[in-house]
């Protein structure tokens, strides 16, 4: 293909021409438009806006000027692009939800966090912000190179970079898309970055890991929360992901319903778009449990989004689903790309700080040279003036005798060996400066200049003095402009798993005699008075089934299942089905691998497994053993041996202990034994244990618990009788004896054998009593009579003729949901 040019025809290769032209275009975009310079952290248009405002006197100390005038000045002399691009860049520099430390002070509508556009440039005004002045400080002292603008006018120059006392690239961050590359640098806290600069100057061998202890992470202008897990990779390699989450808390509305309050949004989230997205997800039934949505943010961009929940909603589950499906959780893709000597480079944290320090060293050195030259020049002039003052009469005579100014200068130069500049200064000297006072001032100024020259020469000859100046200047900026961190850094994990979507709540877990298990929110049971009939807690699967075991737990704790055969299984509590109160649940064999005729005889919830905590087990025939809880940390669905059993013995009770407690064991026929746990030595899992209590013929263990010396012993019998006995009524004896009486032996035919015992520490707790027919009553313990060991107690649950008490459980303080 041929291209015609005036006067000639030139043959070119089209492919090569396209490659060359595209590369020229790409480099122009990269260098001249899209990427910031590592030294001042500004793109060309931002730098030109700052310089144009400085040249026009639109500084922090002055008044704001029309944005249109500023844009016009930038476009006229410096930036060869449209006014829209310039104005958009200036608006971004003024938005305090975009810039951590805005470089432009705005007047008028400059947009909002909802994505509202700014008013037209003819309506708004702007000027440099106070902190922006630190970017241009000393620009008139030959600190940076000046270059011709696109006008190619030698009288109109622009800086290739600003002197930048402020480490702007890290402090305000940057974002930009070039050709084939992009940058996305998060903003940081000025105080932390300043401390990092000082640390790296003092200790150049400081590692990136050590720097991250000072510069802890991004500090976004909108606050919110970030997770620290990926920060080492981001700061080490210059790229990576940073997970951001909104800052939220919970409030109770006037109607008693709960509300999620969003107070801070992740960086760059459009609030209006977020609200629309949440509303659409609720409408499409992808977000459940939300009743209302309202934006109560104020005009000062103080965020307050109110998400009202339904009465049946579980706030943790709703919140986790909001994090999962909306921009309340967002990933910031960090790419710390900047221009270094005109070439794009991805930089780690240390490299970015080091480039800034190197640049500041160059700026301080150039400024020092400039000041030294000015000082030397002024000293040279003062030396001539002092010679004049020493021979004042002769100088006056030479000047008076001269025909013109130039002749007077030559006469002075020849007589006193002066330079042309010195003689010119003497000739221009006002008569008023020939007084003795003025002569003294000139000498004082000269002496100060000599000291200043010596200091400046020392600075140029000693790099350590240059570093001290940099540290002093960065400390001054820190003192004036640094503010507290806005973004909270969370050291925990952020990935949402299935458990995160399960609400953390107190539940009541029941297991029937025939092996049906379920969990129910604890608040579904209402408190009743002593003697009530209770509410239906579960339907019997047949006439013979009843609730055999029950406990309270948290959905996020582990549940251990101990069986009559001495085995133990482990599940997370939330894995137990959540069903309606009247539902019977599902067979427990669907959750754990039980053998035929093996049944669960004890449930215990575990928040942690440690060597300092023990599990104490008691069997039906009076054997006892204790094992460190850590031994059960690896229990799986197929189970492990918890205790070795002999003959027809069964494992029925398990309690947590500290290793030094006292224990209380009660039999079905009303005998009780209290002894210290130290009489039971720790054993491994696969052991039998030792004797806990000697039983009379036909008797079995009815209950076992940890002793609280200030507490009470609660016993409940088959026929609904119960009582509280002070623990002090039970003497401390030895292990493996028959014990003392617990109930009136003559009353056993009427009240029935003991079916449950537990130690009560606080009489404000509540008691749940479950019958074989599935009736459940919940009553405050302070309604149960306190009486001695050898008494029958009072009726706490009225029984039908064919009904009996099956089991009991405690549910914490009255009116509370805590177990």
């Amino acid at each position: 293909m041929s291209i015609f040019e005036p006067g000639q025809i030139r043959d070119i290769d089209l492919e090569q021409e396209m490659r060359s032209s595209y590369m020229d275009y790409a480099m122009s975009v990269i260098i001249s438009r899209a990427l910031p310079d590592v030294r001042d952290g500004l793109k060309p248009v931002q730098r030109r806006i700052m310089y144009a405002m400085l040249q026009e006197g639109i500084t922090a100390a002055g008044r704001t000027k029309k944005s249109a005038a500023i844009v016009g000045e930038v476009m006229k002399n410096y930036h060869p692009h449209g006014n829209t691009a310039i104005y958009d860049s200036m608006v971004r520099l003024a938005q305090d939800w975009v810039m951590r430390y805005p470089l432009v002070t705005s007047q008028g509508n400059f947009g909002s966090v909802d994505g509202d556009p700014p008013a037209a440039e003819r309506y708004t005004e702007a000027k440099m912000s106070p902190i922006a002045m630190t970017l241009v400080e000393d620009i008139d002292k030959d600190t940076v190179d000046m270059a011709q603008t696109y006008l190619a006018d030698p009288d109109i120059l622009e800086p290739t970079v600003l002197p930048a006392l402020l480490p702007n690239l890290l402090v305000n961050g940057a974002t930009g898309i070039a050709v084939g590359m992009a940058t996305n640098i998060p903003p940081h806290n000025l105080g932390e970055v300043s401390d990092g600069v000082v640390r790296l100057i003092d200790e150049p061998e400081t590692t990136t890991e050590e720097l991250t202890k000072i510069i802890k992470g991004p500090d976004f202008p909108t606050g919110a929360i970030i997770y620290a897990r990926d920060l080492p990779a981001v700061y080490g390699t210059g790229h990576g992901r940073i997970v951001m989450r909104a800052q939220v808390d919970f409030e109770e509305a006037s109607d008693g319903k709960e509300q999620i309050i969003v107070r801070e949004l992740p960086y760059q989230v459009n609030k209006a778009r977020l609200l629309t997205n949440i509303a659409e997800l609720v409408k499409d039934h992808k977000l459940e449990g939300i009743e209302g949505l309202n934006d109560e943010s104020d005009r000062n961009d103080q965020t307050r989004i109110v998400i009202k929940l339904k009465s049946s909603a579980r706030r943790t589950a709703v919140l986790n689903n909001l994090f999962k499906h909306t921009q309340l959780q967002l990933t910031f893709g960090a790419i710390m790309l900047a221009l270094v000597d005109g070439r794009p480079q991805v930089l780690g944290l240390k490299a970015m700080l080091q480039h800034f320090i190197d640049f500041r060293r160059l700026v301080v050195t150039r400024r020092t040279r400039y000041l030294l030259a000015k000082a030397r020049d002024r000293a040279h002039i003062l030396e001539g003036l002092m010679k004049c003052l020493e021979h004042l009469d002769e100088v006056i005579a030479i000047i008076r005798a001269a025909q013109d100014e130039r002749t007077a200068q030559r006469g002075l130069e020849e007589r006193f060996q002066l330079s042309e500049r010195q003689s010119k200064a003497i000739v221009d000297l006002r008569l008023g400066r020939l007084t003795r006072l003025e002569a003294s001032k000139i000498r004082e100024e000269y002496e100060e200049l000599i000291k200043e020259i010596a200091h400046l020469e020392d600075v140029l000859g000693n790099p350590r003095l240059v570093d001290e100046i940099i540290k002093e200047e960065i400390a001054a900026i820190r003192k004036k402009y640094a503010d507290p961190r806005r973004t909270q850094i969370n050291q925990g994990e952020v990935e949402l798993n299935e458990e995160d979507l399960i609400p953390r709540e107190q539940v009541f877990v029941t297991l029937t005699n025939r092996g049906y298990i379920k969990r129910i929110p604890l608040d579904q049971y209402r408190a009743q008075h002593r003697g009530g009939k209770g509410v239906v807690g579960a339907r019997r699967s047949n006439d013979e089934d009843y609730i055999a075991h029950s406990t309270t737990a948290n959905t996020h704790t582990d549940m251990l299942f101990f069986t009559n055969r001495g085995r133990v299984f482990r599940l997370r509590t939330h894995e137990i089905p959540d069903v309606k109160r009247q539902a019977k649940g599902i067979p427990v064999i669907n959750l754990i691998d039980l053998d035929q005729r093996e049944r669960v005889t004890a449930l215990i919830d575990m928040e942690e497994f440690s060597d300092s905590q023990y599990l104490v087990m008691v069997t039906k025939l009076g054997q006892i053993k204790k094992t460190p809880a850590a031994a059960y940390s690896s229990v799986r669905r197929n189970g492990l041996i918890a205790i070795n059993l002999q003959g027809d013995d069964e494992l029925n009770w398990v309690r947590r202990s500290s290793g030094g407690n006292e224990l209380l064991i009660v039999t079905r026929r009303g005998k009780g034994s209290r002894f210290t746990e130290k009489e039971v030595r720790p054993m491994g899992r696969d052991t039998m244990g030792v004797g806990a209590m000697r039983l009379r013929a036909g008797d079995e263990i009815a209950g076992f618990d940890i002793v609280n010396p200030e507490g009470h012993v609660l016993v409940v019998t088959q026929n609904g009788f119960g009582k509280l006995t002070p623990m002090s009524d039970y003497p401390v004896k030895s292990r493996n004896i028959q014990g003392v009486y617990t109930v009136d032996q003559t009353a056993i035919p009427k009240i029935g054998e003991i079916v449950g015992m537990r130690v009560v520490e606080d009489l404000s707790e509540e008691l749940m009593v479950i019958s074989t027919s599935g009736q459940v009553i919940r009553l405050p313990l302070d309604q149960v009579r306190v009486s001695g060991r050898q008494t029958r107690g009072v009726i706490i649950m009225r029984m039908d003729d064919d009904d009996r008490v099956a089991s009991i459980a405690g549910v914490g303080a009255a009116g509370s949901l805590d177990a």
Side-chain angles (χ1 to χ4, degrees):
M1 178 179 179
S2 297
I3 294 180
F4 292 91
E5 296 180 0
Q8 67 172 354
I9 296 176
R10 182 165 59 92
D11 292 329
I12 63 169
D13 182 82
L14 180 59
E15 181 179 350
Q16 183 59 39
E17 180 67 21
M18 291 294 291
R19 288 177 181 272
S20 175
S21 297
Y22 189 77
M23 284 303 298
D24 290 343
Y25 162 73
M27 291 307 297
S28 174
V29 171
I30 290 168
I31 297 172
S32 302
R33 297 184 70 171
L35 300 185
D37 194 293
V38 72
R39 297 168 291 179
D40 62 6
L42 297 175
K43 301 177 188 179
V45 64
Q46 296 170 333
R47 187 179 302 115
R48 288 162 178 164
I49 290 170
M50 292 289 100
Y51 187 65
M53 294 173 82
L54 177 68
Q55 291 296 94
E56 294 301 306
I58 313 173
T59 59
R63 298 174 57 187
T64 56
K65 297 291 180 67
K66 282 291 184 183
S67 299
I70 299 171
V71 170
E73 190 64 29
V74 174
M75 186 166 53
K76 179 181 73 173
N77 290 328
Y78 307 107
H79 199 62
H81 301 284
N83 61 310
T84 301
I86 298 170
Y87 185 52
D88 288 347
S89 296
M90 189 179 78
V91 165
R92 182 179 173 84
L93 293 177
Q95 292 174 333
D96 58 9
W97 62 92
V98 174
M99 302 291 288
R100 183 61 177 83
Y101 300 91
L103 302 179
V104 171
T105 299
S106 61
Q107 180 71 38
N109 176 14
F110 269 64
S112 74
V113 73
D114 287 322
D116 299 320
E121 59 201 67
R122 62 183 178 274
Y123 298 120
T124 63
E125 296 182 359
K127 65 178 180 178
M128 297 178 73
S129 69
I131 201 169
M133 300 303 297
T134 65
L135 293 176
V136 297
E137 189 169 329
D138 298 326
I139 198 171
D140 57 345
K141 294 183 175 62
D142 192 34
T143 50
V144 293
D145 292 333
M146 305 295 288
Q148 288 188 359
T149 70
Y150 75 99
L151 298 175
D153 185 339
D155 295 328
I156 301 178
L157 302 176
E158 65 175 333
T160 56
V161 66
L162 297 184
L165 285 170
L166 178 74
N168 184 57
L169 185 59
L170 274 173
V171 164
N172 272 321
T175 182
I177 300 175
V179 177
M181 61 184 66
T183 187
N184 200 23
I185 303 172
H188 293 78
N189 183 270
L190 175 57
E192 294 179 5
V193 174
S194 299
D195 293 342
V197 169
V198 172
R199 172 68 177 271
L200 196 55
I201 291 174
D202 289 338
E203 301 178 33
E205 301 304 318
T206 300
T207 64
T208 299
E209 182 179 358
E210 291 169 336
L211 284 173
T212 56
K213 295 178 182 178
I214 301 171
I215 304 174
K216 300 178 178 63
D219 189 22
F220 296 110
T222 53
I225 301 170
I226 60 174
Y227 286 79
R229 186 189 65 183
D230 299 306
L231 290 179
V234 172
Y235 288 141
T237 65
H239 59 83
R241 58 192 288 269
I242 303 170
V243 178
M244 307 178 290
R245 268 189 184 178
Q247 184 74 260
V248 303
D249 53 36
F250 299 97
E251 287 184 3
E252 184 175 316
S254 57
D255 59 1
K257 295 181 180 179
E258 282 195 293
Q259 300 178 143
I260 298 173
I261 309 298
V262 181
R263 302 195 182 279
E264 295 175 358
L265 292 174
Y267 187 50
Q268 295 176 326
V269 168
N270 184 308
K271 178 157 61 70
R273 198 176 301 147
L274 170 69
L275 292 169
T276 301
N277 178 235
I278 294 175
E280 290 175 350
L281 290 172
V282 172
K283 182 180 178 181
D284 295 339
H285 303 289
K286 294 180 180 179
L287 280 178
E288 300 291 346
I290 296 177
E291 181 179 275
L293 181 65
N294 192 30
D295 183 7
E296 298 181 2
S297 306
D298 59 27
R299 294 184 178 180
N300 297 321
D301 294 321
Q302 185 67 40
T303 301
R304 180 181 166 87
I305 298 173
V306 179
I307 302 171
K308 192 171 183 179
L309 305 184
K310 296 178 180 178
S311 300
S312 59
R314 299 170 181 178
R315 67 183 190 181
T316 308
V318 174
L319 181 58
N320 282 328
N321 277 299
L322 283 167
F323 286 144
K324 184 175 181 179
H325 297 293
T326 75
Q327 286 190 318
L328 289 182
Q329 177 173 311
L330 196 63
T331 298
F332 184 95
I335 307 174
M336 298 170 69
L337 179 71
L339 294 176
V340 180
D341 297 327
R343 298 175 64 86
Q345 288 186 23
V346 176
L347 303 167
L349 176 63
K350 181 177 179 179
M352 198 167 282
L353 289 174
Q354 191 62 59
H355 280 298
F356 174 75
I357 292 170
D358 293 342
F359 174 60
R360 285 303 301 164
R361 285 170 176 160
L362 178 60
V363 168
V364 171
T365 300
R366 288 184 60 159
R367 182 183 65 194
T368 303
R369 288 176 183 155
Y370 173 85
L371 295 174
L372 179 59
K374 296 285 287 184
R376 284 173 174 170
D377 182 66
R378 179 60 180 166
H380 179 66
I381 298 297
L382 293 178
E383 288 169 355
L385 293 178
M386 287 190 295
K387 282 185 180 181
C388 162
L389 294 173
E390 290 172 0
H391 305 86
L392 187 56
D393 292 338
E394 190 175 355
V395 168
I396 293 173
I398 292 173
I399 294 174
R400 290 183 63 183
Q403 294 182 353
D404 54 33
E405 184 176 322
R406 183 58 194 142
T407 302
Q409 282 184 239
R410 282 199 296 268
L412 292 172
E413 292 167 10
E414 292 172 0
R415 172 66 184 85
F416 300 109
Q417 288 77 49
L418 302 175
S419 68
E420 182 178 344
R421 296 182 66 251
Q422 287 176 321
S423 64
K424 173 68 172 159
I426 292 171
V427 170
D428 292 341
L429 192 66
R430 293 185 296 108
L431 292 176
R433 299 205 63 186
L434 299 179
T435 65
R436 290 182 179 179
L437 181 59
E438 285 296 321
S440 176
K441 289 181 178 179
I442 290 172
R443 290 189 181 92
E444 289 176 3
E445 182 184 356
Y446 179 74
E447 290 172 0
E448 290 298 322
L449 275 175
I450 295 301
K451 293 178 183 178
E452 182 182 350
I453 290 170
H455 170 68
L456 294 173
E457 289 174 341
D458 286 345
V459 171
L460 291 176
N462 189 347
R464 294 185 63 181
L465 290 179
V466 173
D467 286 347
E468 289 301 318
I469 292 172
I470 296 172
K471 288 163 58 178
E472 290 173 4
E473 291 174 342
I474 200 78
I477 291 178
R478 188 192 195 288
K479 182 177 180 180
K480 188 173 183 179
Y481 297 109
D483 57 359
R485 165 176 279 279
R486 298 180 188 176
T487 299
Q488 176 185 335
I489 299 178
N490 193 317
Q491 301 295 331
E493 288 293 322
V494 67
E495 298 297 337
L496 290 174
N497 53 43
E498 290 303 317
E499 189 168 289
D500 291 320
L501 304 179
I502 302 297
R504 188 179 295 273
E505 64 178 352
Q506 293 299 114
V507 293
F508 183 46
V509 179
T510 62
L511 181 65
T512 72
N513 184 55
R514 296 185 65 86
Y516 286 87
I517 191 170
K518 68 176 180 177
R519 64 179 168 92
I520 306 168
L522 196 57
D523 57 5
Q524 288 194 17
Y525 290 98
R526 65 180 185 270
Q528 295 183 339
H529 293 289
R530 175 171 60 86
K533 291 282 288 185
V535 296
V536 177
R539 292 176 180 169
R540 287 180 290 178
S541 55
N542 57 54
D543 290 342
E544 298 178 0
D545 200 12
Y546 60 89
I547 295 174
H549 304 284
S550 61
T551 186
T552 55
N554 187 288
T555 49
H556 282 231
T557 59
D558 287 293
M559 184 68 68
L560 295 181
F561 296 75
F562 294 87
T563 74
N564 60 323
R565 292 188 176 180
R567 291 206 297 166
V568 58
F569 299 82
R570 174 181 171 187
L571 286 177
R572 297 293 280 179
T573 302
H574 65 74
E575 295 181 271
I576 300 169
D578 179 10
V579 299
K580 294 181 179 180
R581 185 175 61 206
Q582 295 180 349
K584 68 179 181 180
I586 68 168
V588 71
I589 58 174
N590 292 349
L591 301 177
I592 57 178
D593 190 15
L594 295 175
D595 293 336
Q596 286 187 350
R597 291 187 296 276
E598 184 177 19
R599 54 190 174 81
V600 176
T601 55
L603 300 176
I604 185 167
D605 67 294
M606 296 291 295
E607 292 189 2
E608 62 177 352
F609 296 85
S610 68
D611 288 322
S612 61
Q613 190 177 49
Y614 293 86
L615 292 178
V616 181
M617 304 168 208
V618 174
T619 70
K620 178 179 70 173
L621 299 182
Q623 290 294 107
I624 185 171
K625 74 173 266 191
K626 72 176 182 181
T627 304
Y632 299 93
S633 62
S634 59
V635 176
R636 297 291 181 264
R637 286 178 184 266
N638 57 357
L640 289 175
I641 296 295
I643 184 173
N644 284 332
L645 299 173
Q646 300 294 317
D648 295 331
D649 201 2
E650 296 180 350
L651 172 63
N652 284 342
W653 296 274
V654 181
R655 295 288 185 271
R656 289 185 299 266
S657 79
S658 65
N661 297 110
E662 291 180 354
L663 311 176
L664 179 66
I665 299 176
V666 170
T667 72
R668 293 182 66 87
R669 293 187 177 177
K671 299 285 282 186
S673 177
R674 175 182 175 183
F675 58 92
T676 176
E677 183 184 346
K678 293 181 180 179
E679 293 195 37
V680 184
R681 63 179 177 83
M683 302 178 183
R685 286 189 300 102
D686 196 7
T687 56
M688 185 174 65
V690 295
M693 195 169 179
R694 285 207 307 269
L695 302 177
R696 293 178 294 180
D699 201 1
E700 296 177 353
I701 303 298
F704 154 66
D705 213 341
I706 305 295
V707 167
N708 176 4
E710 306 299 324
H712 291 74
V713 179
L714 169 71
V715 293
V716 178
T717 68
Q718 289 175 316
N719 295 334
F721 284 74
K723 67 171 181 173
L724 290 164
T725 302
M727 183 61 73
S728 57
D729 280 14
Y730 288 82
V732 179
K733 300 286 187 179
S734 298
R735 176 179 62 83
N736 206 25
I737 64 174
Q738 284 194 355
V740 297
Y741 289 117
T742 300
V743 296
D744 181 0
Q745 297 291 295
T746 63
I748 290 179
K750 178 179 180 180
I751 65 176
E753 293 184 346
I754 295 174
V755 294
M757 181 278 294
R758 65 184 295 260
V759 174
V760 177
E761 298 181 2
D762 185 355
L763 293 184
S764 67
E765 293 183 13
E766 293 185 343
L767 170 69
M768 276 188 176
V769 181
I770 305 98
S771 77
T772 57
S773 65
Q775 297 295 313
V776 178
I777 185 172
R778 174 173 172 171
L779 72 157
L781 282 174
D782 58 13
Q783 294 186 15
V784 180
R785 179 180 297 174
V786 177
S787 56
R789 284 190 294 107
Q790 298 189 57
T791 58
R792 66 176 63 185
V794 296
I795 295 176
I796 60 174
M797 185 175 187
R798 299 190 181 279
M799 312 301 300
D800 294 332
D801 292 340
D802 59 347
D803 201 8
R804 294 292 182 269
V805 173
S807 62
I808 63 173
V811 297
S816 169
L817 298 183
D818 297 328

